[in-house]
Amino acid sequence: MAILGLQLQQRFPVLTAVCYSRLISATIHASAVASVSSLSCKLKKWNNGGRLPRRLVVGLGASFWAQYMNMAGNSKSFIASARLKGAVEQALQNVEWPEQFPFKDEDFQRFDETSDSLFYEGPRFVTHIDDAAIAALTKYYSEVFPPSNTPGVSILDMCSSWVSHFPKGYKQERVVGMGMNEEELKRNPVLTEYVVQDLNLKPKLPFEDNSFDVITNVVSVDYLTKPLDVFKEMCRILKPGGLAIMSFSNRCFWTKAISIWTSTGDTDHALIVGSYFHYAGGFEPPQAVDISPNPGRSDPMYIIYSRKLSTA
């Protein structure tokens, strides 16, 4: 029986310039330089009074970080973490979950706590994972989505933008995008409608119960500061048996990702997202899939998914 645990790492930022999707931008590369705990650390012990170290910010002021990240508008910062093959997929197998949600309010703080509406005010018509990772995600969607043009099927693309990475030509009667920038949402060709909403301020979803067959969220679950509220709402609006697909890589806007995310690695991220499903209630046990197309040579890509219980 596996015990839920987290590997926290101190990370020192290294600044570099890279070419990404034919555009040159600045990104922040963070290397794990020291492990301060192992995956065998028990969250039950933590939940009963133990403390885990917080991330360390070294040598750079907040204003410089924010300015530098804005320069990198077409790319997310890269957080490097070594992983064993199959480790992410095994992370959610036979987990012994603590009785209570083990994370605290401070785990959902961000380096930059200014308004998200300001951060996302300008559109970013770029992609935040590389082409190989996008292709892997699109292929996965093609395997698990209801067939195109299935009567009555509704899909919600949460934290959406100008592209959803759905299969080419994929259509349903209702595909709703929910995001932070209206200009981006207007450009998304798969959407039949959209909603502009900051889930960190307003986690309540403006949809009826049992409305959607599928909910997707691409490389954005790490920005949710009220994840349990959001996941409970996801359960409410999913139809019984409806599928929720959370995908992530090892890239993020470092200043806007939650502390518990930037302090941990890929395997731990699977546990974190899995815990959201578990503690929200009403979902089947979450599963992890590693769809990384070229491990070590392109962006990794991971899926954490679950279905709403048919009796929920």
Side-chain angles (χ1 to χ4, degrees):
M1 182 73 74
I3 304 295
L4 175 61
L6 297 177
Q7 182 177 13
L8 299 188
Q9 302 166 334
Q10 295 177 346
R11 303 178 186 277
F12 288 81
V14 178
L15 301 183
T16 186
V18 298
C19 179
Y20 186 78
S21 298
R22 300 182 181 179
L23 296 174
I24 297 177
S25 68
T27 59
I28 295 173
H29 289 251
S31 300
V33 296
S35 173
V36 295
S37 65
S38 69
L39 279 172
S40 62
C41 291
K42 298 180 180 180
L43 276 186
K44 280 189 174 181
K45 179 178 179 181
W46 177 24
N47 201 35
N48 291 332
R51 293 190 61 81
L52 293 176
R54 299 293 164 209
R55 67 182 179 207
L56 298 180
V57 179
V58 183
L60 293 177
S63 61
F64 182 81
W65 275 95
Q67 180 181 3
Y68 207 79
M69 288 306 298
N70 284 335
M71 291 169 58
N74 72 306
S75 175
K76 292 192 175 185
S77 66
F78 180 77
I79 297 179
S81 58
R83 65 182 178 89
L84 297 175
K85 183 176 177 61
V88 170
E89 291 191 333
Q90 296 171 13
L92 294 177
Q93 295 179 8
N94 302 316
V95 179
E96 184 179 330
W97 299 102
E99 183 177 348
Q100 301 294 325
F101 187 57
F103 305 119
K104 309 302 180 185
D105 288 346
E106 60 198 277
D107 294 316
F108 302 101
Q109 295 175 347
R110 288 90 53 80
F111 188 87
D112 177 7
E113 291 287 4
T114 60
S115 173
D116 290 343
S117 62
L118 294 176
F119 187 82
Y120 294 101
E121 183 176 14
R124 294 179 174 91
F125 296 116
V126 295
T127 53
H128 303 299
I129 47 178
D130 64 25
D131 291 344
I134 290 172
L137 179 61
T138 299
K139 182 177 183 294
Y140 179 82
Y141 282 162
S142 71
E143 295 169 351
V144 301
F145 274 9
S148 188
N149 292 309
T150 300
V153 165
S154 296
I155 296 178
L156 172 63
D157 187 27
M158 184 180 291
C159 302
S160 186
S161 65
W162 69 286
V163 61
S164 295
H165 307 310
F166 288 6
K168 184 177 181 179
Y170 188 83
K171 294 182 179 181
Q172 295 296 352
E173 182 178 340
R174 189 186 190 199
V175 180
V176 183
M178 172 175 281
M180 290 286 293
N181 186 277
E182 187 170 12
E183 291 184 56
E184 292 182 17
L185 295 171
K186 285 180 177 179
R187 286 270 297 270
N188 192 323
V190 305
L191 304 181
T192 62
E193 59 188 274
Y194 65 82
V195 176
V196 178
Q197 182 169 319
D198 183 350
L199 293 175
N200 290 338
L201 289 180
K202 189 178 179 182
K204 176 76 173 178
L205 302 179
F207 308 109
E208 299 294 329
D209 296 357
N210 307 317
S211 296
F212 294 97
D213 299 271
V214 179
I215 297 176
T216 58
N217 183 315
V218 181
V219 295
S220 294
V221 68
D222 44 324
Y223 303 124
L224 298 178
T225 62
K226 299 178 176 67
L228 282 192
D229 292 339
V230 173
F231 275 61
K232 288 176 182 178
E233 280 291 284
M234 286 165 48
C235 185
R236 179 184 66 80
I237 67 173
L238 275 173
K239 299 175 184 178
L243 177 65
I245 304 169
M246 306 290 109
S247 61
F248 61 89
S249 184
N250 60 357
R251 292 180 177 270
C252 65
F253 291 119
W254 192 86
T255 59
K256 281 297 185 180
I258 57 173
S259 175
I260 196 64
W261 194 274
T262 59
S263 300
T264 55
D266 294 343
T267 303
D268 307 315
H269 296 162
L271 286 164
I272 291 167
V273 179
S275 76
Y276 298 163
F277 280 116
H278 176 80
Y279 292 102
F283 287 102
E284 296 178 355
Q287 303 294 319
V289 183
D290 185 345
I291 62 170
S292 303
N294 304 297
R297 292 181 287 120
S298 64
D299 290 342
M301 202 68 206
Y302 310 108
I303 302 289
I304 309 299
Y305 72 89
S306 182
R307 291 186 180 275
K308 179 176 177 177
L309 294 170
S310 58
T311 57

